[in-house]
Every structure is written in structure tokens, then in C-alpha cells.
Amino acid sequence: MVHVWVRAEDRPDEERVGLTPEGAARLLEAGVRLTVEDSAARAIPVADYRAAGAEIAAPGSWRTAAPREAIVFGLKELRDEATPLVHRHIMFGHAYKGQPAGRALLRRFAAGGGALYDLEYLVDAQGRRAAAFGYWAGYAGAAVSLMAWIAQAGGGICGPVAAWPDAAALRDALAAALDRQPRRPGVIVIGAKGRVGTGAGDFCDALGLQVTRWDVAETAHGGPFPEVLDHDIFLNCILAMPGVPVFVPESVPASPRRLRVIGDIACDPTSDFSPVRVYDAATDRTRPVRRVHDAPPLDVVAIDNLPALLPRESSEDYARQLLPALLQLDRIEAGVWARARAEFDRHVAAL
């Protein structure tokens, strides 16, 4: 029998979960044994999982109580420890791109005989991800970027942000703040046809903002892109990778521009292929904005965990996408799971 153990998240401010109570009921109906750890932070109450029939365990108890054959399922990376990992884990490991913490994680798996099924590499035969948080990253990233523009228009800089109870509360709060402004900003979204760009565009539409949507056709010439400077807010929804043009070069802060806020939703500032070249470190909830130029001001929003700002919607959406794969865990040596395992094996072999 497949045994899935849903762990409590270790990362501070992480309220999301990759399985809803409805999904839990589906797994139980399929004959999966399901254990869900309690969590005071999780956006979905543990009582809902208990009502669905799941076994409930104490937070973090997978380390000592989960049977060795259990599959431990979380979203974000584990606490940095030296303990060998004996279980199979499903999570975003951030271990395959040369990150020092990632190499340490792989060594823990190698020492314990466990395995990582990285959610980022859970893909179909065409390389499409089984599930992604992109839409709500775009939605929340556009919201925080608008908050930055509003704060800047008032002569300040955007202060700390926290998770919202739902998207409607977020929209209502920003609609009220926007109504107090003498004008509305113009926004350009690059990568508008992808999941991230769709979420960003939908948020802007909900607030009645004027949006310019660009995708491959509009950026294929490789730049430069002076049109970006003719908008108040630029939302980058394109991942850094070889061949991606530079949309905002180093010269932009000192250039004549209408541009006041960059929302780098893709957020990969340390990459050699970053399309936004005016900053070099991510921001976070406590300091969501980095001011890279004073007169006229230019602020960058680059939070690397944006979907967590809308934990309920992002959890429900992601869990719905992922559930078909979870229902195939009895065939973990095939399909998307086999491809994820092959990626893990390749990187462990290279240690």
C-alpha cells in the first residue's frame, strides 16, 4: 500500500499545502494510506483532513515516526540539518542548479538511501510540468508592484507585506487605495501568455489598469525595448535562461523614463541570463521593495515566494493540478515520477 505523509512546512511564513481535503478523500478512496501533520500555519485547517479520513500526526514527526517506505510530501525545502534522509521525498528541492544548500541536501539523500522527487522536474513526456504555482505568482506579484507604485506616488516606499485571506480581500484593498490616486498607472507585462503573465494580467484587468501585453512575437527581435520605459510599471514574467533578451539594462535607472516600478516576478537576479539588470538580490516580505534609483525613483519588487501571499487559492489550484500525478504513486517507477527520479539519480551520481 502506498503511504503518503504530508509534512508541516519548515519555512517561515509558508501557509500553502500541496493536497486539499478533497484530494485527500480521493487518495483514500484509491487505497492510499494518508498521514497529515498538524500545522498552526497551514491555510487549510487540519480538522478538514481529519474529517476526510486522514491520520493526523504531530508537526515534524515524519523524522522519527514515518515508516521508511512512506513518501514524505511537502512543498518547500527542508530545514538545513545534517541528518541522513532515508525516505522518499516529494518537494521543491532547489538542488539541481549548483546551489550550495542543494548539494548538501543531495548528500543527505545519498547518505540515507532516500530519494528526491522534485516537483519542478515532475514533467510529462513533452517536458511540461505536471503542476505549477505560476498563475498566483503573477497575480500576487502584480499586486505588490501596484502597492509599490502607490507608496511611491505618496512620497514613500512600500512597507512589509503579509499573506491575504483570499484574492477578493487583496483586490478590494488595492482598489480602495487606487481610488485615492489622481491617476492610474500604465502597465506592461512581458511573458503575458504564460501562467505567470496570465495571472499578472488578470489582476491588472480586475483593477481596471491599462495593460500592454507582450510575449514571444513582440520580443523576438532581441531588443532594445524602449517601450518598457514608457510605462509606469513593468512586470517581468520571463524566466532567466539562455537566449532571453535583456529588457531592463544597467543604464535604465539614469535614463529618461516614465518607468517607476519593476516587478521581477520571475525573480532570478543572480543568473547570468537575467533580463532585468538593475539589481542583484531578491527582496522579501519584510522589505518587498529595493530602491535602485532616487531621482526619479525606481523600485524593484523581487519576492521569490509570491504565491505564498495568497495561500488558500494557490494551494487549491496547485493541488488540483497535482492530484492526477499523486493518484499514480502506485506506479512510481513510471511516467512523471520515473522522470523525476531519473533527474535525482543523475545529480546524485555527479556528486
Side-chain angles (χ1 to χ4, degrees), residues 117-323:
Y117 292 82
D118 196 305
L119 289 163
E120 185 177 351
Y121 296 87
L122 204 67
V123 298
D124 66 14
Q126 288 72 46
R128 293 186 297 262
R129 286 171 63 172
F133 280 104
Y135 180 89
W136 293 105
Y139 203 95
V144 179
S145 299
L146 180 59
M147 292 172 64
W149 183 86
I150 291 170
Q152 188 189 108
I157 191 165
C158 183
V161 296
W164 287 277
D166 53 48
L170 168 60
R171 288 194 304 269
D172 291 347
L174 281 175
L178 196 58
D179 286 343
R180 295 191 289 270
Q181 301 302 311
R183 69 178 184 89
R184 292 176 179 247
V187 181
I188 182 168
V189 179
I190 298 185
K193 292 184 179 179
R195 285 170 167 158
V196 178
T198 299
D202 284 356
F203 172 82
C204 293
D205 288 344
L207 271 291
L209 304 181
Q210 181 179 351
V211 185
T212 301
R213 288 173 164 87
W214 279 11
D215 209 87
V216 175
E218 293 82 3
T219 60
H221 63 84
F225 302 99
E227 298 91 339
V228 171
L229 307 189
D230 295 332
H231 295 77
D232 298 285
I233 300 173
F234 163 47
L235 301 176
N236 174 50
C237 303
I238 300 290
L239 288 173
M241 61 182 66
V244 169
V246 174
F247 304 129
V248 182
E250 295 92 333
S251 60
V252 159
S255 302
R257 55 180 164 80
R258 177 180 165 188
L259 184 67
R260 294 293 183 268
V261 173
I262 298 169
D264 191 6
I265 299 172
C267 188
D268 201 357
T270 61
S271 170
D272 292 340
F273 309 110
S274 174
V276 179
R277 299 292 180 85
V278 296
Y279 79 113
D280 59 6
T283 62
D284 57 35
R285 290 189 186 192
T286 59
R287 298 184 66 184
V289 165
R290 179 175 179 183
R291 181 152 292 175
V292 297
H293 200 264
D294 288 317
L298 181 60
D299 291 339
V300 177
V301 174
I303 299 172
D304 68 356
N305 197 19
L306 283 164
L309 294 173
L310 287 167
R312 184 89 193 200
E313 279 100 342
S314 60
S315 292
E316 291 173 347
D317 183 25
Y318 187 82
R320 175 187 54 78
Q321 297 174 56
L322 187 63
L323 183 60

Side-chain angles (χ1 to χ4, degrees), residues 321-333:
Q321 297 174 56
L322 187 63
L323 183 60
L326 294 177
L327 287 167
Q328 296 171 11
L329 280 171
D330 59 337
R331 300 183 297 280
I332 199 168
E333 302 305 325

Side-chain angles (χ1 to χ4, degrees), residues 38-111:
D38 197 358
S39 170
R42 190 181 291 134
I44 301 175
V46 74
D48 293 356
Y49 294 94
R50 182 181 287 110
E55 303 170 35
I56 307 301
S61 59
W62 65 268
R63 292 174 174 85
T64 56
R68 189 171 185 135
E69 70 274 8
I71 301 170
V72 181
F73 176 29
L75 290 179
K76 301 304 290 183
E77 61 272 19
L78 296 173
R79 189 184 309 158
D80 188 13
E81 298 172 334
T83 312
L85 294 169
V86 302
H87 297 95
R88 293 170 292 177
H89 283 255
I90 300 170
M91 62 177 170
F92 289 100
H94 305 295
Y96 298 158
K97 298 178 182 178
Q99 306 97 322
R103 288 193 292 271
L105 177 67
L106 291 177
R107 291 190 187 99
R108 292 176 66 190
F109 277 114

